[in-house]
Amino acid sequence: MTTPSGHTEAIAASRVIGTSVYNTEGKSIGSIEDV
């Protein structure tokens, strides 16, 4: 989502750390450990 000025809104690192990451085939390739 973008702001009225066209910038992308920031997401807090605490919301993504620990999130699983998948490749384009849907295979788990790990998780986010640090941002």
Side-chain angles (χ1 to χ4, degrees):
M1 185 173 190
T2 57
T3 64
S5 62
H7 293 92
T8 303
E9 292 185 18
I11 299 172
S14 62
R15 291 192 62 188
V16 295
I17 292 174
T19 300
S20 297
V21 179
Y22 298 88
N23 67 13
T24 56
E25 286 103 31
K27 179 180 177 186
S28 177
I29 58 173
S31 63
I32 299 174
E33 293 183 10
D34 194 10
V35 178

